[in-house]
Amino acid sequence: MSTKTDEKVGKYIQDVKDKTGDEPDVDLLRKVTESCGPSIFRSDAETVSSSSESELETVKRNFLIKKLGLKDDEKLDVGLNAVMEKYGKSNRNKYRAVVYYLLTKHFKKESVFK
């Protein structure tokens, strides 16, 4: 039986493959997606605007620092930029769950979701 979350995860798996060329860690992607809670079902909250400084600040504060437990230093900006670059700067639909998944992989914080 497919849930709405399963449908989202399926969409995100395809997105990771299409945009980054990587074979995603489906288990990790599912856990990251579930950790986003109901926000992934609201169109305004499901995506991240990489051109919005305030949005990137929010990702940094709420996900990198609070969720992943990283310390607030320039490495966060470098990592965020690297992930946005990898996901495709011109790609307008950056799914929040995929951004968080890519950040989790980038900072090697998979253990947070185990």
Side-chain angles (χ1 to χ4, degrees):
M1 184 174 98
S2 172
T3 64
K4 280 189 152 93
T5 302
D6 289 333
E7 288 168 23
K8 291 287 185 189
V9 170
K11 185 163 84 170
Y12 301 152
I13 288 168
Q14 198 52 55
D15 200 52
V16 170
K17 287 179 181 175
D18 292 348
K19 306 286 188 330
T20 70
D22 291 348
E23 196 54 49
D25 173 340
V26 175
D27 193 46
L28 178 64
L29 184 54
R30 170 176 299 285
K31 288 179 175 144
V32 170
T33 301
E34 288 167 354
S35 80
C36 291
S39 69
I40 60 166
F41 299 107
R42 294 198 319 269
S43 58
D44 63 324
E46 185 186 22
T47 57
V48 172
S49 167
S50 58
S51 59
S52 163
E53 281 304 314
S54 66
E55 186 135 14
L56 293 178
E57 260 318 298
T58 302
V59 168
K60 198 158 72 170
R61 238 187 357 269
N62 294 347
F63 187 72
L64 295 178
I65 297 170
K66 284 185 185 159
K67 181 76 181 169
L68 296 186
L70 297 166
K71 59 180 214 303
D72 190 359
D73 61 23
E74 67 280 351
K75 286 191 190 117
L76 299 187
D77 291 321
V78 172
L80 205 47
N81 285 332
V83 162
M84 291 306 173
E85 202 61 55
K86 179 174 184 153
Y87 201 176
K89 285 237 187 260
S90 61
N91 163 24
R92 291 173 51 91
N93 290 318
K94 291 183 181 70
Y95 295 111
R96 183 169 305 278
V98 174
V99 169
Y100 287 4
Y101 164 82
L102 293 171
L103 287 166
T104 301
K105 299 280 282 180
H106 178 86
F107 288 105
K108 298 181 176 25
K109 295 297 268 184
E110 293 89 341
S111 59
V112 171
F113 295 97
K114 294 289 181 246

